[in-house]
Amino acid sequence: MAYTDCLQDAPDIFENVIGESIAARTDGLGMIRELGPPDLCHIIKAHSSNRNEAEIGSYHHVLGVDTSSSASLAAYINSLQYLLSDSPGWFGANNNWRISSGTYCTYNSFSNIDLRVQIKIPGGVDAYAVNARGERTEITEQMWKEIHVCSVIRAILYSDPATYSVTGLRRLTPIASLDEENRFVDSVIQQFWDGLRLGSNAETQMASTARNHMVDGIIKYFSGQERFADCAAEILAPLAYAPLGGQRSGHRSSADFKGIDPEVASLLAEMYIKGDQEVQAVRVMHQALRVKPSCYPMLNAQAEFLRRKKKLDAALVISRMAVKYAPSEFNAWAKLTEIYIERGDFQRALLTLNTCPMYTFVDHDLPRVPSPRRVNYIFNSDILSEYNLGENLSNAVHGPVPSNNRSSVDSDAPGIAEEMDLNERSEILRLPAPSLKGTFAKAYHFLAQIVSTIGWDELLHLRSQAFVMEEEYKSTAKPNVAIDDEDASGDLHDEDDHVPLSVLSQRNSAVKLDADPDTAEEVPTLADAPVENTNKVAVNGDASNKEEVQENENEPNASAPAREDSVVEQKQEQKQEQEQEHQSIDEQPSEKAKEEEQEAPATEKEPADQPKGKKKKKNKKGKSKDASAKNTAMVNGAADDAAKPEADSKDATEDGESHDRSANGEAKESTIAALGGQMEDVSLDDKKDDNDETAAISAPDVPAPEDAKPAETLTSPRNAVFDIKPTIAEVTPGPNHQNSQQDETKTIEDEPQDGSNGSSEDPTYIRKRLCERWLDNHIMILYEDLRMYTAWRYRMDNLRATGQPVMYQYTQAEWEALGDLALRMHRPSDAKEAFEYALGIRFSARAWMRLLEMYTGTYADMQKEEALRNEGISHVLPAITSTDSLVLALDAVVWLSVFGYRWHNSMTYPNPVCNQFIRLVRIHGLSKVRNSLVSMNLKTPVLNIVKGYFEIAEKFDVTGAKW
């Protein structure tokens, strides 16, 4: 049915009640998060001849309208009057409907208000603003500048219909000339320092002056035309080197400005690098890092520059610094993962990926609208006469999908109803990978890149080496103990939970008295011994007093019962002296401490062939210590023995003399041996500096047999990624411990640079971590993709071998999904085949866009990797510099341009199709592209649509426009 009350070249959504769309927009202002929804244009139509006809309210969404003043908005609403449908008559067409009034609504993301301009025809213009509470306010001149910037940024970021689609959305070109661009640049420079109010993308945790939607829009606008030098010269360089002006005074102090802004300089360096001005980029990076060496965006830019130069070792060091200064930013960890992958160190790449902070994806703001009475999409049939773009199928997300065949109808093709039923039951269309967004999609890309390089089996092998498997966790993990491997101290939180307050206070007092040897007699021993003194005795008993321990082993009369009786007597004497000297302590030891003291004499007898200092004992939770803790104690003793053997022997002698023992030397040696057995309960990191970032996190206690090999340890994310090995300074407090920064530098320098794991030869340093749940889910998603891809290729080979038809074995939607699957698996030749089959069934804008990207070299690196893996595959895709590739690309440009015009997408630039067209101009030159297009003999209306891309290339002087 033909309606005469709707617009011709714009979508028209009719209301049930006049004004309900504006009321719904007002109610949704409080839920807008960042940039806001597209602009809303609401019009009221009245019948021109029949006054009894009721007025009609309709609206549509629009992007790209000039919102710098109320006059430009009034002019846009007035232009809609010429788009009303004409009804045929005897003496020409008659227009029975006219626009009586209209309201244009656009959102100001800086001030969080909605600007509205009401126009009455004929009549005046009324402009006002509405806040989230629905209150009406006046509009200032500053608001108009902010609204102009917001509307252009929205049009740039929402320009791709595949990523942002709204019912009834009309797209127009926001910047059509150099004068409009200069006006936009001036507005951006004025509002640049307030850009963080607009929010940031899904891969940035917190918006800043260099990471926000305004910067993303600017970079996208100039990068699409590959005008990197213009972006650097017109916007970024003046902002990076400008003196501290009034626009910055509200955000920074004059003390912060030292000639260059490091964050803005990072963007400037990136533009110089992309524009092949590397000397300027290096100069900018040098100046910015002298001002602020901890600026992580600049470190990321420097790491990317070194990566492009294949200086992977230097890029790795810089990327680690960026992670150190911004541990909560995904981009820093992603860059480190990318460098590890290029170095071939896939195990550390997995560990780094497991440590990446993942953010919940927040999509762009969508408008809230009521259910419409009807929606009209009128199109010009003259342009579409030779292009079959039907509307038999519909898609709730991206609007109607073309369904007419490009060629004659094939008898083997399934019907529409049958195809829709097959799509509902298809496993290919239910793959979870396409639903990944933001940081999760980037992480999946890294996993797919690793698999395409080393294969699935090797990935599983690396996974078992890097992460704790379920069987290992069940057999080694300590029950009822929460392992917090993110704690920088590395100690279990519940280690001193059951220690009485009296014992803790005695330990604190003992630390103060430890410096004075004369007061050593006041320090309690054994269960109540302070940590500092116990450390000394334990270390000396392990390493520096080897001779004394050996004597105890060789004494024929030193039996186990006698040693245990002497320990009991000494404990009783120490207990009496402690009660007399500490009368001020009101709090008595807890019952648990008393039970431990009573259980001490009942310790199991040690074997005759085992040293006395290594007696198996119970820890505070009643569980036996594992072999790894004993190994740690032995390493600590050996290190201390190598450092100061004589001093330790002297300290051990002084400690032995400080205790008042009336028994013979056998009791003294047995006490030292008993204290040496408590080495496993003592933390040797008491004197560590809290700010020492190189401190390794200790492994949790895991039950294991005594004769077992050292267990594999669980480490923190940072230690696992950086592979920080324990040093003497970390194990034993000493004078060299204050040089922790030098130890970290040494550890990094000593790391093998060939991509191998430096600790793979020594099982003590195998650092395993618990795999994050999201990463484990990603591996399962990758498995589903690989399984489906393998089944598809196996079926294709069988069909070709038996000579059966291939095209209608899958539906068009399934072919599109298989093409995307092949791209995720880094198989562009298989993706090209799938998209061509999809086009053989029916027109598909999605398939045409992917083929256009292949013809223009978007997947050139992926194609090179595939050619190296499989000889002969490189000839499947034509070279991007060939004439055949140019003709195929122009064919895709024409089809996509007609499809965009059909759905009221009049935005010439920025546009994904125009971006690829500019790549063609850069590769082949504007003259060759124009001549090739003319040789296609297109109809004049279609040729006029494509000519808009030539005008953009000539106006803005893109690369290749002059030849």
Side-chain angles (χ1 to χ4, degrees):
M1 179 179 178
Y3 295 98
T4 60
D5 55 355
C6 56
L7 303 176
Q8 286 184 345
D9 295 334
D12 215 0
I13 305 174
F14 289 84
E15 298 175 314
N16 296 303
V17 179
I18 296 178
E20 63 179 0
S21 60
I22 298 179
R25 184 181 178 92
T26 304
D27 295 338
L29 291 178
M31 292 184 293
I32 295 177
R33 295 179 298 269
E34 295 176 345
L35 281 177
D39 300 345
L40 175 66
C41 181
H42 178 269
I43 56 177
I44 299 177
K45 307 167 190 173
H47 202 276
S48 58
S49 59
N50 187 4
R51 298 194 177 186
N52 295 327
E53 188 76 23
E55 293 182 341
I56 300 174
S58 65
Y59 64 93
H60 65 272
H61 300 284
V62 61
L63 291 172
V65 177
D66 184 9
T67 59
S68 59
S69 63
S70 59
S72 60
L73 299 180
Y76 174 76
I77 294 179
N78 189 43
S79 65
L80 298 178
Q81 180 70 36
Y82 304 98
L83 299 181
L84 287 173
S85 299
D86 297 333
S87 58
W90 288 101
F91 301 100
N94 298 323
N95 193 343
N96 296 326
W97 293 89
R98 63 180 180 84
I99 298 176
S100 60
S101 63
T103 303
Y104 193 95
C105 307
T106 179
Y107 187 73
N108 185 354
S109 304
F110 292 99
S111 304
N112 297 326
I113 60 174
D114 195 42
L115 182 142
R116 297 177 181 178
V117 178
Q118 289 183 349
I119 301 107
K120 294 182 179 180
I121 304 174
V125 177
D126 183 18
Y128 60 93
V130 177
N131 57 21
R133 296 184 298 272
E135 300 173 353
R136 182 168 174 169
T137 59
E138 297 296 330
I139 299 179
T140 61
E141 187 65 25
Q142 180 66 20
M143 290 183 182
W144 284 111
K145 297 179 181 179
E146 295 174 352
I147 290 170
H148 179 223
V149 174
C150 290
S151 63
V152 176
I153 294 298
R154 269 195 300 268
I156 294 173
L157 296 181
Y158 298 171
S159 61
D160 189 359
T163 58
Y164 189 85
S165 180
V166 175
T167 302
L169 179 60
R170 184 187 187 191
R171 289 182 169 91
L172 302 176
T173 304
I175 301 175
S177 63
L178 287 175
D179 294 336
E180 295 180 0
E181 180 182 291
N182 294 333
R183 189 154 51 92
F184 169 69
V185 168
D186 295 339
S187 300
V188 164
I189 293 177
Q190 295 178 10
Q191 305 296 330
F192 184 83
W193 306 108
D194 295 327
L196 53 89
R197 298 182 185 178
L198 302 181
S200 59
N201 55 27
E203 297 180 2
T204 304
Q205 183 188 31
M206 184 176 297
S208 62
T209 55
R211 296 293 184 271
N212 54 68
H213 283 307
M214 179 187 290
V215 173
D216 294 342
I218 296 171
I219 299 301
K220 182 178 180 180
Y221 175 80
F222 285 96
S223 299
Q225 299 175 348
E226 298 188 0
R227 297 167 54 202
F228 305 109
D230 294 342
C231 179
E234 296 178 7
I235 298 180
L236 298 179
L239 291 171
Y241 291 99
L244 189 61
Q247 65 271 18
R248 283 210 239 178
S249 59
H251 304 279
R252 305 174 181 212
S253 61
S254 58
D256 296 334
F257 183 74
K258 298 180 181 179
I260 187 172
D261 189 286
E263 293 189 4
V264 182
S266 66
L267 300 175
L268 180 61
E270 291 176 0
M271 291 297 102
Y272 280 143
I273 293 173
K274 293 179 180 179
D276 294 333
Q277 299 181 12
E278 297 178 351
V279 176
Q280 295 290 342
V282 172
R283 183 180 294 110
V284 170
M285 289 188 290
H286 172 70
Q287 296 174 356
L289 290 175
R290 290 187 61 184
V291 173
K292 187 178 180 182
S294 61
C295 180
Y296 108 87
M298 180 56 73
L299 293 174
N300 251 17
Q302 188 177 11
E304 175 63 19
F305 174 71
L306 294 172
R307 187 191 67 83
R308 291 190 175 192
K309 292 297 181 181
K310 302 302 179 182
K311 305 293 184 180
L312 299 180
D313 296 339
L316 179 61
V317 177
I318 299 300
S319 183
R320 284 177 171 177
M321 294 175 62
V323 169
K324 176 181 177 181
Y325 292 125
S328 61
E329 287 293 340
F330 174 82
N331 291 326
W333 290 96
K335 183 61 63 179
L336 181 60
T337 304
E338 185 178 1
I339 293 174
Y340 274 133
I341 292 175
E342 291 201 12
R343 293 179 74 245
D345 195 349
F346 301 107
Q347 184 172 356
R348 287 199 183 95
L350 282 177
L351 291 171
T352 308
L353 190 62
N354 187 64
T355 315
C356 288
M358 309 302 290
Y359 312 141
T360 303
F361 178 74
V362 179
D363 204 350
H364 294 298
D365 294 308
L366 297 174
R368 295 185 60 190
V369 294
S371 299
R373 186 175 64 178
R374 73 174 189 266
V375 180
N376 285 352
Y377 284 96
I378 297 180
F379 58 93
N380 192 338
S381 60
D382 295 337
I383 296 179
L384 304 176
S385 58
E386 296 182 0
Y387 297 88
N388 298 321
L389 306 176
E391 308 171 18
N392 293 333
L393 292 177
S394 61
N395 189 316
V397 179
H398 299 295
V401 177
S403 61
N404 289 17
N405 295 337
R406 298 177 61 243
S407 58
S408 60
V409 178
D410 195 338
S411 58
D412 296 334
I416 299 300
E418 182 182 357
E419 184 175 351
M420 294 179 65
D421 183 65
L422 292 174
N423 291 337
E424 291 179 358
R425 295 184 285 107
S426 174
E427 293 184 2
I428 302 174
L429 300 179
R430 291 198 299 266
L431 290 175
S435 62
L436 298 176
K437 304 292 183 182
T439 56
F440 296 96
K442 192 71 172 292
Y444 179 86
H445 170 73
F446 288 140
L447 282 178
Q449 187 175 358
I450 293 175
V451 170
S452 65
T453 305
I454 63 177
W456 174 252
D457 294 336
E458 186 65 22
L459 175 65
L460 294 182
H461 179 65
L462 292 177
R463 179 194 180 194
S464 62
Q465 290 182 345
F467 304 117
V468 178
M469 297 292 101
E470 184 178 0
E471 295 78 7
E472 297 174 349
Y473 180 79
K474 290 180 179 180
S475 61
T476 60
K478 178 186 291 186
N480 301 328
V481 176
I483 300 174
D484 187 5
D485 58 352
E486 301 289 346
D487 186 11
S489 64
D491 298 331
L492 294 177
H493 293 292
D494 57 348
E495 184 177 358
D496 295 333
D497 287 350
H498 302 288
V499 179
L501 294 177
S502 59
V503 179
L504 292 177
S505 60
Q506 293 169 14
R507 290 182 180 180
N508 296 333
S509 61
V511 172
K512 299 179 181 179
L513 297 177
D514 184 66
D516 191 1
D518 299 336
T519 61
E521 296 179 356
E522 301 179 1
V523 180
T525 59
L526 213 56
D528 297 331
V531 177
E532 283 290 322
N533 195 21
T534 308
N535 288 345
K536 293 181 179 180
V537 178
V539 173
N540 297 336
D542 254 349
S544 58
N545 287 340
K546 291 182 179 180
E547 298 179 359
E548 298 182 5
V549 175
Q550 187 68 25
E551 291 176 2
N552 292 336
E553 293 179 353
N554 298 330
E555 286 184 3
N557 299 327
S559 60
R563 287 194 300 270
E564 293 178 358
D565 295 338
S566 63
V567 172
V568 174
E569 293 176 1
Q570 293 298 327
K571 286 176 60 178
Q572 294 177 355
E573 293 177 3
Q574 296 292 337
K575 182 109 177 141
Q576 295 176 0
E577 292 177 2
Q578 178 183 351
E579 292 178 355
Q580 295 176 0
E581 293 173 356
H582 298 281
Q583 296 291 338
S584 60
I585 300 177
D586 298 334
E587 213 177 320
Q588 297 299 329
S590 64
E591 303 230 346
K592 183 163 187 169
K594 293 181 180 179
E595 292 176 3
E596 291 179 357
E597 295 175 0
Q598 294 176 3
E599 291 176 1
T603 309
E604 296 179 0
K605 296 181 180 181
E606 63 179 350
D609 58 345
Q610 184 179 3
K612 297 180 181 180
K614 299 296 177 182
K615 186 186 298 183
K616 182 178 179 180
K617 58 181 290 295
K618 300 284 184 177
N619 61 5
K620 297 179 182 179
K621 296 183 180 295
K623 302 292 183 180
S624 61
K625 290 292 181 178
D626 61 343
S628 62
K630 292 184 178 182
N631 186 47
T632 305
M634 296 176 63
V635 173
N636 296 345
D640 193 66
D641 180 60
K644 296 191 303 179
E646 298 179 359
D648 291 342
S649 300
K650 183 177 180 180
D651 292 339
T653 305
E654 293 177 358
D655 291 340
E657 294 176 355
S658 62
H659 298 285
D660 187 13
R661 298 188 182 91
S662 59
N664 54 12
E666 178 183 353
K668 170 184 174 181
E669 294 170 357
S670 62
T671 304
I672 295 177
L675 291 175
Q678 293 185 355
M679 180 62 186
E680 299 168 353
D681 287 340
V682 177
S683 175
L684 300 181
D685 296 336
D686 295 334
K687 293 184 178 181
K688 274 188 179 296
D689 187 5
D690 294 339
N691 297 328
D692 186 9
E693 298 183 1
T694 63
I697 295 180
S698 61
D701 296 333
V702 181
E706 293 182 358
D707 55 348
K709 295 182 180 180
E712 298 174 344
T713 60
L714 301 178
T715 61
S716 68
R718 181 180 178 279
N719 293 350
V721 173
F722 293 166
D723 195 23
I724 299 177
K725 300 181 180 180
T727 59
I728 296 177
E730 293 177 351
V731 176
T732 306
N736 297 330
H737 181 65
Q738 58 186 356
N739 300 328
S740 59
Q741 187 68 25
Q742 298 178 1
D743 296 340
E744 180 182 4
T745 305
K746 182 178 179 181
T747 305
I748 294 177
E749 292 176 355
D750 295 342
E751 181 184 90
Q753 302 296 335
D754 56 354
S756 61
N757 189 358
S759 59
S760 59
E761 299 179 358
D762 190 355
T764 306
Y765 296 127
I766 294 178
R767 307 180 183 277
K768 284 197 173 186
R769 288 210 59 230
L770 295 178
C771 183
E772 295 289 343
R773 182 173 299 178
W774 68 264
L775 181 57
D776 189 62
N777 183 44
H778 273 47
I779 295 176
M780 296 304 300
I781 293 175
L782 182 60
Y783 167 75
E784 291 295 330
D785 281 357
L786 287 171
R787 182 180 64 85
M788 192 61 62
Y789 174 80
T790 305
W792 168 46
R793 298 314 304 173
Y794 179 77
R795 185 179 181 184
M796 292 289 291
D797 294 340
N798 288 341
L799 291 175
R800 289 193 177 95
T802 57
Q804 301 180 25
V806 176
M807 180 179 299
Y808 295 107
Q809 297 296 327
Y810 298 97
T811 64
Q812 186 207 24
E814 288 178 334
W815 281 118
E816 294 176 0
L818 289 173
D820 291 337
L821 172 62
L823 288 179
R824 291 197 300 270
M825 298 295 100
H826 294 249
R827 301 293 190 273
S829 60
D830 297 336
K832 176 178 178 293
E833 179 185 14
F835 289 130
E836 288 178 346
Y837 278 124
L839 292 176
I841 297 175
R842 189 181 300 111
F843 172 83
S844 171
R846 182 177 173 186
W848 270 123
M849 192 67 217
R850 293 294 180 268
L851 290 176
L852 177 60
E853 292 172 352
M854 293 180 184
Y855 298 147
T856 56
T858 303
Y859 304 104
D861 295 337
M862 193 181 299
Q863 295 171 9
K864 292 179 181 178
E865 294 177 3
E866 187 181 26
L868 293 176
R869 290 192 303 264
N870 304 304
E871 297 181 359
I873 298 297
S874 58
H875 300 290
V876 175
L877 291 171
I880 60 175
T881 57
S882 64
T883 305
D884 295 338
S885 177
L886 175 60
V887 173
L888 293 173
L890 288 178
D891 190 19
V893 168
V894 171
W895 276 92
L896 291 172
S897 301
V898 173
F899 176 76
Y901 180 82
R902 189 284 167 245
W903 297 110
H904 308 288
N905 185 3
S906 302
M907 183 183 293
T908 305
Y909 184 84
N911 189 331
V913 180
C914 188
N915 294 342
Q916 303 303 323
F917 180 84
I918 291 175
R919 292 174 66 94
L920 291 176
V921 172
R922 182 176 60 86
I923 296 172
H924 302 279
L926 187 62
S927 299
K928 183 178 180 180
V929 175
R930 180 184 284 112
N931 295 334
S932 300
L933 184 67
V934 172
S935 63
M936 297 175 66
N937 298 323
L938 300 175
K939 297 181 64 174
T940 302
V942 177
L943 184 61
N944 292 335
I945 297 175
V946 184
K947 277 185 177 180
Y949 303 141
F950 291 94
E951 295 176 359
I952 291 293
E954 292 175 344
K955 286 181 181 179
F956 297 100
D957 193 17
V958 300
T959 304
K962 296 181 179 180
W963 51 278

